[in-house]
Amino acid sequence: MTQKPEHFQTKKNALKRIAVPKCSPMNQSFLTGVFTLLLCALSGCQNALEADALTLNSPEQTHRIDIYLDEAGRPGYRVLRKGNPVIDSSGLGFEFKNQPALLNGMRWVESELFSEDETWEMPWGEQREVRNHYNGARIVLEEQEPPGRRLILNFRAYEDGIAFRYEFPEQEGTDSLLITAEKSEFKLTGDHMSWWIPGDWDIYEHLYNTTRVSEINALSKQDHPNLASTYIPENAVNTPVTMRSDEGVHLSFHEADLTDYAGMTLKVDPDKLMLSSALVGSDRMDYKVGRALPFHTPWRTIQIADRAGDLIESRLIENLNEPNKLGDVSWFTPMKYVGIWWEMHLGIATWDYGMTMDESGRWVDTGKAHGKHGATTENTRRYIDFAAANNIKGVLVEGWNTGWERWIGFEDREGVFDFVTPYPDYDIEALAAYGREKGVEIIMHHETSATPRTYEQQLDTAFALMNDLGMHSVKTGYVGKIIPKGEYHHGQWMVNHYRNVLETASKYQVAINAHEPIKATGLRRTYPNAISREGLRGQEFNAWSVEGGNPPEHLPIVAFTRMLAGPIDFTPGIFDIGLKQKPGNQINTTLAQQLALYVVIYSPIQMACDLPENYEGQPAFEFIREVGVDWEQSKVLSGEVGDFVAIAREERETGNWFVGAITDEGSRDLEIDFSFLPEGVRFQATVYQDGPQAHYMENPTDIDIEKSTIDRNSKINYHLAAGGGLAISLIRE
């Protein structure tokens, strides 16, 4: 095993862990430079419940967390940034089935303080090196009355935000807990501007709303005609939800390390300006989470920044996850890909072949196929040839396997899909071999039709087939209402299913790109085969929607909300903006913005999703050929939530840089300061920018392509048209 360089070793400073008893007979004040511990502030500990408190500062003291027990013995906290409150006094606790709640009547037993400063390496990602530097506290609480149950609070203070989670130790007299409600509160300090989607238990594929917190009404957003499943039980929002105070402080609320637990939405009290955790449930159970002791919950996270772009640069979510458990994952290579997908959304081809299921449940070729099947051997070879000629390393094939005739619209979908048997017109082995000859890998597709039990029965067989054929990534799908009835995509049962798929796939060197997924919570650090996921209203809505598709503000919001959770398989690269096969529909961006998305919306796999014939003879396609997918470092140059964003990323190994900028429906002038480039190096720049007549509605394909030489002393103004963008490739001379 290769020895890690010294700077990748965990560095622990002298003040690591300090165990502190609950109280002593005199006032206590404990100062360790970065920590201030205040215990028993009242003289002689006359009132320990009022006195028990701890103050935790981030390493550079940007953030301060006050942790305390209130007069009723309920644990709580508040957060300050640069001395100003950003989260006011907020309570913590739980309600259970068959047990009293853990809310009040607690006493402070002991506290432990510690810090950590390590640097770890992403095997792939927005940057190679990630610093994980925080100060932490672990507080043990206990009920004052019998049975004296214990609850442990874990807090971490970072420069880019704060996090906390609960720990349930072994308890005398019980071996498990059934949680009916988690009572974590987030009391806001003002009526912030917020960017949110409803707290749907099944999908994240909603348009974002821009309102004050007091105006959030998620229940009015239940109508969703384009999807097969959606359930919004209360006025709650899904995470990440991003806010900006009137003073310009940005906050984004999310969770990290979602393991064997229900996904968290945030219930909104618009009058009190209070958010509180609302766990996704199950109609089959009268509790939200069932766990054996001991266990800990996911982290509840708040990313905090003065500059909106710092939210994107934050690695808080990944840092809160455990280190890589898989070791070497070089069998997965970040890549661009094309595939048999967009033609189905345009109505040119179909997923199904036209087979019939006989009485025994087998799919039978009647010889009457409709002739529009997309995943044929011939069509796949065409995509492989196109990929090989254009520096594209993957081909996704949807609709290759039997079962698509009954994949949606049927109540009983168990056992319908077979994940190893191709349709008669698809030669899976020959195509895998042909791809290898051309240096192109087939990307497998597994649409489960939301029947996870059927999928789990075939996981080992399906992944073994992929491994045998040299296929190392799969796009999974979960369209429809979950079977068994009563389960939801984001509940504990499905969280565990998604994890099972991820762990099983790793045994066969398979990486997962999940669609209709559970939210990303940084687990890509622990399981680097979690390469990407959907979890947002994607490109396909532009081909479906009769209401105009995704508006221009959609992606400038997504960059500061959904993208904070992790990589997005958004499928950019549409050149036929007007969608000639879909009269009345179009992509609400310019062509230049479609190019810029390869830099702005991060994923280690990026699709050039248009039809190959739409790229032929297009000079702008050169950017897609050149642009990287795996980055040494990333810098957000400028941006405001919902308005615009500009990002620069350095490609690993080559040292080439790429810049992408996108805007909403408002045109704007944008200065790019190239001081992020290295000293003494000149770059050949190819600039793809909106032409003088460009407009996302009126003239979306007007694009100018210019070449020049740029170095770190350059500062250049560019014009972005309405719904427009800017893409720049910077190749070292």
Side-chain angles (χ1 to χ4, degrees):
M1 183 174 179
T2 303
Q3 179 73 22
K4 282 188 176 182
E6 181 181 352
H7 69 287
F8 284 114
Q9 305 299 322
T10 299
K11 302 185 179 95
K12 297 182 180 293
N13 65 34
L15 283 171
K16 281 302 133 189
R17 295 187 176 269
I18 306 162
V20 183
K22 170 185 173 291
C23 205
S24 70
M26 63 182 67
N27 294 345
Q28 292 190 25
S29 178
F30 182 80
L31 179 63
T32 68
V34 292
F35 295 114
T36 303
L37 180 63
L38 302 174
L39 297 176
C40 299
L42 295 183
S43 177
C45 291
Q46 295 297 313
N47 191 336
L49 284 181
E50 292 182 0
D52 291 336
L54 181 152
T55 294
L56 179 66
N57 289 300
S58 61
E60 297 179 18
Q61 303 194 46
T62 299
H63 295 122
R64 175 180 128 194
I65 312 172
D66 295 332
I67 310 157
Y68 59 85
L69 290 177
D70 67 14
E71 293 182 356
R74 182 180 182 183
Y77 74 103
R78 72 170 186 152
V79 181
L80 294 84
R81 176 177 175 81
K82 300 177 181 177
N84 300 309
V86 291
I87 299 295
D88 214 336
S89 297
S90 304
L92 304 170
F94 286 88
E95 294 177 352
F96 308 100
K97 179 182 178 182
N98 301 328
Q99 287 191 41
L102 273 179
L103 287 172
N104 301 317
M106 307 293 289
R107 70 182 185 92
W108 193 290
V109 177
E110 62 182 14
S111 307
E112 182 183 30
L113 301 174
F114 54 94
S115 65
E116 185 163 2
D117 189 2
E118 64 171 350
T119 299
W120 57 279
E121 183 173 349
M122 284 183 158
W124 52 264
E126 300 94 319
Q127 62 199 72
R128 186 187 299 271
E129 296 182 8
V130 178
R131 187 181 186 189
N132 184 22
H133 189 198
Y134 66 88
N135 293 329
R138 185 174 184 267
I139 302 110
V140 179
L141 306 176
E142 184 178 81
E143 283 182 300
Q144 297 181 73
E145 304 296 332
R149 294 170 296 171
R150 288 196 167 191
L151 176 66
I152 301 171
L153 307 178
N154 291 275
F155 278 85
R156 291 186 184 178
Y158 290 83
E159 297 309 309
D160 53 344
I162 69 100
F164 65 87
R165 72 177 177 188
Y166 305 88
E167 185 180 341
F168 290 95
E170 292 182 347
Q171 311 274 9
E172 186 175 346
T174 184
D175 60 0
S176 62
L177 291 175
L178 302 177
I179 298 171
T180 57
E182 180 188 319
K183 309 295 284 186
S184 301
E185 296 177 347
F186 307 85
K187 179 69 171 70
L188 305 176
T189 58
D191 192 7
H192 304 330
M193 188 60 69
S194 61
W195 292 268
W196 57 275
I197 56 174
D200 197 317
W201 285 12
D202 270 309
I203 62 170
Y204 307 112
E205 299 180 17
H206 293 269
L207 288 177
Y208 279 85
N209 303 273
T210 304
T211 71
R212 295 283 182 176
V213 173
S214 62
E215 299 168 336
I216 293 177
N217 181 7
L219 290 174
S220 68
K221 306 294 179 182
Q222 290 192 65
D223 295 334
H224 210 291
N226 290 321
L227 292 168
S229 60
T230 178
Y231 180 60
I232 306 170
E234 58 189 338
N235 187 25
V237 297
N238 261 314
T239 67
V241 55
T242 298
M243 301 179 184
R244 184 181 63 225
S245 73
D246 290 343
E247 294 74 32
V249 177
H250 296 79
L251 305 102
S252 187
F253 299 84
H254 192 41
E255 58 182 316
D257 189 12
L258 175 53
T259 299
D260 198 6
Y261 204 81
M264 179 185 72
T265 69
L266 290 174
K267 188 175 181 179
V268 181
D269 186 328
D271 297 323
K272 296 181 179 178
L273 303 179
M274 175 77 80
L275 309 177
S276 56
S277 54
L279 303 179
V280 174
S282 162
D283 295 343
R284 299 196 301 161
M285 309 294 179
D286 55 358
Y287 56 87
K288 301 294 181 65
V289 173
R291 289 291 303 270
L293 297 173
F295 72 93
H296 56 70
T297 71
W299 292 95
R300 279 59 188 102
T301 66
I302 311 173
Q303 290 161 280
I304 313 171
D306 295 328
R307 195 178 74 107
D310 289 344
L311 294 177
I312 299 175
E313 292 185 1
S314 168
R315 299 274 70 83
L316 175 71
I317 304 302
E318 292 82 11
N319 276 331
L320 289 163
N321 282 264
E322 295 180 14
N324 182 354
K325 288 185 176 181
L326 304 185
D328 180 21
V329 290
S330 58
W331 44 263
F332 166 73
T333 303
M335 70 176 78
K336 288 166 285 189
Y337 70 100
V338 292
I340 300 172
W341 175 75
W342 189 239
E343 59 199 74
M344 277 83 96
H345 293 288
L346 295 177
I348 297 172
T350 64
W351 285 274
D352 69 285
Y353 171 82
M355 297 180 74
T356 301
M357 183 178 282
D358 67 14
E359 294 180 356
S360 66
R362 294 180 299 117
W363 289 104
V364 179
D365 183 2
T366 63
K368 299 179 180 179
H370 49 56
K372 291 184 67 177
H373 185 220
T376 67
T377 300
E378 180 183 3
N379 199 25
T380 306
R381 285 175 66 97
R382 181 172 72 96
Y383 275 89
I384 291 173
D385 290 341
F386 178 80
N390 288 285
N391 192 33
I392 293 171
K393 301 302 182 183
V395 171
L396 168 71
V397 183
E398 295 199 8
W400 67 275
N401 59 317
T402 59
W404 286 90
E405 285 79 3
R406 289 188 59 185
W407 82 289
I408 197 166
F410 290 85
E411 284 296 321
D412 183 11
R413 288 167 273 120
E414 292 279 21
V416 168
F417 273 117
D418 182 332
F419 301 102
V420 297
T421 304
Y423 279 126
D425 58 350
Y426 186 76
D427 191 334
I428 188 171
E429 293 183 355
L431 287 167
Y434 185 69
R436 284 195 297 273
E437 292 175 12
K438 295 282 190 173
V440 175
E441 183 176 314
I442 300 291
I443 299 174
M444 183 61 83
H445 182 240
H446 292 162
E447 173 53 61
T448 71
S449 68
T451 57
R453 293 178 299 193
T454 291
Y455 192 35
E456 288 186 348
Q457 290 169 2
Q458 301 181 56
L459 279 182
D460 286 282
T461 304
F463 291 151
L465 173 66
M466 289 182 59
N467 187 276
D468 290 344
L469 295 175
M471 301 178 186
H472 292 291
S473 58
V474 59
K475 174 182 174 180
T476 61
Y478 294 84
V479 173
K481 295 182 182 299
I482 296 294
I483 297 176
K485 187 176 182 180
E487 293 295 343
Y488 297 91
H489 284 73
H490 308 154
Q492 184 186 13
W493 192 77
M494 279 300 293
V495 166
N496 289 339
H497 166 77
Y498 290 118
R499 180 65 62 86
N500 181 29
V501 172
L502 194 62
E503 292 179 343
T504 304
S506 70
K507 299 174 185 176
Y508 296 92
Q509 297 189 339
V510 170
I512 302 294
N513 170 19
H515 282 231
E516 296 78 43
I518 187 61
K519 68 180 78 171
T521 60
L523 281 162
R524 59 179 167 140
R525 180 184 181 188
T526 312
Y527 298 96
N529 66 322
I531 52 173
S532 196
R533 68 190 72 203
E534 190 185 37
L536 84 165
R537 185 171 156 124
Q539 184 85 276
E540 65 272 18
F541 277 83
N542 294 312
W544 300 346
S545 177
V546 296
E547 300 173 352
N550 298 327
E553 71 168 7
H554 180 55
L555 292 174
I557 296 176
V558 163
F560 296 97
T561 51
R562 161 64 183 86
M563 197 168 75
L564 304 185
I568 301 173
D569 187 26
F570 182 76
T571 63
I574 297 295
F575 276 36
D576 179 23
I577 304 290
L579 302 179
K580 54 181 173 287
Q581 292 88 2
K582 289 273 189 171
N585 291 46
Q586 78 162 54
I587 311 298
N588 290 318
T589 74
T590 65
L591 177 55
Q593 183 175 128
Q594 286 294 308
L595 300 180
L597 293 178
Y598 287 90
V599 182
V600 171
I601 303 299
Y602 172 69
S603 178
I605 52 171
Q606 290 278 27
M607 188 178 198
C609 77
D610 211 340
L611 308 178
E613 54 265 34
N614 290 336
Y615 295 131
E616 297 292 345
Q618 294 286 348
F621 188 63
E622 182 62 25
F623 183 81
I624 296 179
R625 292 190 186 99
E626 284 188 342
V627 68
V629 288
D630 196 20
W631 308 109
E632 184 69 28
Q633 58 178 315
S634 298
K635 296 182 180 296
V636 180
L637 306 180
S638 59
E640 294 294 342
V641 187
D643 295 337
F644 75 101
V645 63
I647 299 177
R649 303 189 194 271
E650 181 190 5
E651 187 178 22
R652 294 195 191 189
E653 311 304 333
T654 69
N656 297 328
W657 284 80
F658 297 87
V659 176
I662 64 174
T663 185
D664 62 2
E665 70 282 356
S667 62
R668 68 185 71 244
D669 293 318
L670 186 66
E671 181 184 71
I672 301 294
D673 181 345
F674 290 91
S675 59
F676 56 83
L677 296 174
E679 188 74 52
V681 181
R682 291 162 59 88
F683 291 81
Q684 286 296 316
T686 306
V687 178
Y688 304 80
Q689 61 182 320
D690 296 317
Q693 305 303 316
H695 186 283
Y696 76 96
M697 287 289 292
E698 299 167 4
N699 196 359
T701 58
D702 184 21
I703 189 169
D704 284 345
I705 304 174
E706 299 178 353
K707 294 183 181 293
S708 63
T709 300
I710 285 176
D711 61 24
R712 74 185 319 270
N713 298 312
S714 303
K715 290 184 180 180
I716 303 175
N717 287 307
Y718 299 97
H719 180 74
L720 277 62
L726 168 73
I728 306 174
S729 64
L730 295 157
I731 309 301
R732 282 175 173 253
E733 288 189 342

